[in-house]
Amino acid sequence: MASPPARAVTETPMSLQQTITRIAAELGRPALVEDHRRSVVAYSPHPDEIDEVRRRSILEHRADPAVHSWLSRLGVYAATSAVRVPGNPELGMLPRICVPIGRSGIVFGHLWFIEPVEPAGRETPLDLARASASAELVAEEWARVRMSLEGESAREDELARELMLGRAEVRRAAAAELVESGRFESGLLRAYVLSPGAPASSRGPAAEPLERAARRARQALGGRGVLALARRDHAVVVVPSATGRFTDTDRIAGVVAESAAEAFGANTVAPRVAVGGEASVVAARESYREARRALGIAASFRLAPRVLHWDRLGVYRGLDSAAAAGLRSGDFQPGLERLAAERDGDVLIDTLTSYLAAAGHVQTAAARLGVHRTSLYNRLNRAQRILGIDLDDGLDRLGVHISLLLRAGEATSDDGDPTAR
């Protein structure tokens, strides 16, 4: 049996928690279960007299590295049956019994009982056979929970596909199931689209890493309530948008990006994450499309950020709509190609672009270009004469600025960028 996924204590299935609590009560010992990564999975109620090691494990949800190292040296984790572990005053640790939990020779966790320190004759040591029988009960319940989680995960994968790609009636049914199940109680969500740093061919190596990235992101964000879908050239992670841990879109985008970096490895171009707008569950595909469109806009206009927010793209959304409607740069300001054809045309274009990007602040534009203000004024005057415009006129300035931005997008499209319009 494969190892179950690590889960935070707050997400421990109730049935497993109840099993641990019942075992601890029957044996008269506080109990704790950790998985193969030393993360705490479940624990019983504990008396006030528990030791410092157990207290830290419960508070931090994982074993202390120093304790883990000491136990490894003792050979505890290599044991195939219940073992008694001596106390360690230096670590603040009482004696324990450790029982491996597993199936078919594969250990996927450990059940721990604290042995109280009492005067001789007042406390009977816990029988190792009873401890081992308890571990069998935990293993059975853990296996049942894992099968249930795998089934739930498979259904969530199916729901994600239906919600993003299905026909209208299929999307409505998937949305209703998600809301009724409590996964999206608020009725609102956002789609986060992950794009690899380089385009993937239809038979390229990107699909499998994208699937890994989607799974990692879903697990890192908490599993239940998070949907994930991997396609040939991108992955989608969908999260509720109105609940506490999902309101910080930058944090979530960062988790998705980190998951992608782990899945793709260090030798690939950094992936991009686009955040769609907030949408109702039934309109999830709209958030998905907005995130994908944000990636296209970033490619078209050569935007630098690796994380893109649809809600923050501002004028670029309008420019993209204008380009989609067939408008060209010359529709806003004719003559840019004549300007570019000058001997120093590229310099004049860059000067105008920097000046307008700096909102007409000459000193800022000159600093960005690395030239003296006098040189900047001379270039601007030449550009105005060639174009027949007056940069002190608001409409002229607006027209040439829009024209320059659209021209940049047209140049990217002409280069054959597959993500551009």
Side-chain angles (χ1 to χ4, degrees):
M1 174 178 175
S3 301
R7 297 173 65 86
V9 172
T10 55
E11 296 178 355
T12 300
M14 185 58 67
S15 59
L16 186 56
Q17 186 66 54
Q18 289 172 340
T19 299
I20 301 304
T21 299
R22 185 177 68 253
I23 288 171
E26 291 175 355
L27 300 185
R29 300 289 192 280
L32 178 144
V33 174
E34 65 179 19
D35 65 16
H36 68 295
R37 285 171 286 209
R38 315 306 166 217
S39 295
V40 174
V41 174
Y43 58 89
S44 70
H46 281 60
D48 294 336
E49 295 78 20
I50 64 171
D51 61 25
E52 186 59 28
V53 168
R54 178 63 57 87
R55 184 176 290 106
R56 285 202 306 271
S57 293
I58 291 173
L59 290 175
E60 298 174 10
H61 296 177
R62 64 182 303 105
D64 182 283
V67 175
H68 175 256
S69 178
W70 179 67
L71 292 170
S72 296
R73 291 197 299 273
L74 288 181
V76 172
Y77 293 119
T80 57
S81 59
V83 294
R84 297 190 184 277
V85 180
N88 187 326
E90 291 183 4
L91 294 173
M93 181 174 174
L94 292 172
R96 277 163 169 66
I97 287 177
C98 177
V99 193
I101 304 170
R103 280 285 184 274
S104 304
I106 299 175
V107 174
F108 51 80
H110 290 85
L111 173 61
W112 292 89
F113 297 100
I114 292 180
E115 284 282 74
V117 178
E118 295 286 351
R122 291 188 56 189
E123 188 73 36
T124 303
L126 179 60
D127 181 66
L128 293 185
R130 292 188 68 194
S132 297
S134 298
E136 284 294 316
L137 293 176
V138 175
E140 290 172 6
E141 182 58 28
W142 203 343
R144 190 193 68 76
V145 166
R146 180 174 178 273
M147 290 179 65
S148 174
L149 290 174
E150 286 179 343
E152 181 178 316
S153 177
R155 178 55 185 151
E156 288 182 342
D157 289 345
E158 187 178 352
L159 285 169
R161 185 169 295 277
E162 292 173 354
L163 201 62
M164 296 296 116
L165 308 176
R167 300 186 306 274
E169 62 272 20
V170 174
R171 297 200 304 273
R172 283 194 295 269
E177 181 175 338
L178 287 165
V179 173
E180 289 170 7
S181 69
R183 294 177 179 88
F184 289 88
E185 292 178 290
S186 70
L188 296 172
L189 52 72
R190 284 185 191 271
Y192 294 73
V193 172
L194 167 67
S195 175
S201 64
S202 58
R203 299 194 177 187
E208 185 178 342
L210 280 168
E211 289 179 2
R212 289 200 304 269
R215 288 196 299 269
R216 285 175 183 265
R218 181 178 174 188
Q219 183 177 11
L221 290 170
R224 182 175 175 81
V226 179
L227 303 179
L229 171 67
R231 306 197 70 189
R232 181 185 62 80
D233 58 354
H234 66 277
V236 193
V237 179
V238 182
V239 303
S241 65
T243 54
R245 63 194 177 107
F246 293 128
T247 54
D248 187 343
T249 56
D250 287 306
R251 183 190 71 81
I252 297 169
V255 170
V256 175
E258 289 172 9
S259 300
E262 293 172 1
F264 278 86
N267 297 323
T268 57
V269 179
R272 267 188 158 161
V273 178
V275 185
E278 191 172 62
S280 66
V281 180
V282 74
R285 187 157 69 174
E286 190 62 28
S287 182
Y288 169 47
R289 286 176 169 174
E290 288 171 351
R292 293 205 68 197
R293 187 175 162 196
L295 290 169
I297 290 172
S300 294
F301 296 99
R302 297 179 179 174
L303 304 183
R306 306 308 301 178
V307 174
L308 304 153
H309 295 259
W310 173 255
D311 294 341
R312 303 177 194 173
L313 284 175
V315 71
Y316 287 104
R317 285 164 53 174
L319 293 169
D320 186 60
S321 294
L327 296 176
R328 306 286 291 176
S329 58
D331 294 322
F332 293 90
Q333 175 58 61
L336 279 184
E337 294 312 312
R338 186 169 66 254
L339 182 67
E342 291 286 312
R343 177 177 50 81
D344 54 350
D346 289 343
V347 172
L348 295 176
I349 292 288
D350 288 344
T351 301
L352 266 179
T353 301
S354 296
Y355 172 75
L356 293 168
H361 194 284
V362 173
Q363 187 171 350
T364 301
R368 288 177 180 173
L369 292 168
V371 300
H372 192 275
R373 282 181 294 175
T374 301
S375 297
L376 182 69
Y377 279 124
N378 289 336
R379 293 179 187 177
L380 291 175
N381 288 333
R382 280 191 63 215
Q384 290 180 95
R385 288 196 302 271
I386 294 169
L387 293 174
I389 62 170
D390 180 0
L391 289 175
D392 290 331
D393 182 284
L395 286 177
D396 279 0
R397 183 182 293 199
L398 175 63
V400 75
H401 200 177
I402 292 175
S403 184
L404 286 167
L405 290 171
L406 280 174
R407 183 178 184 273
E410 291 162 4
T412 304
S413 181
D414 291 341
D415 288 341
D417 189 320
T419 58
R421 273 192 193 280

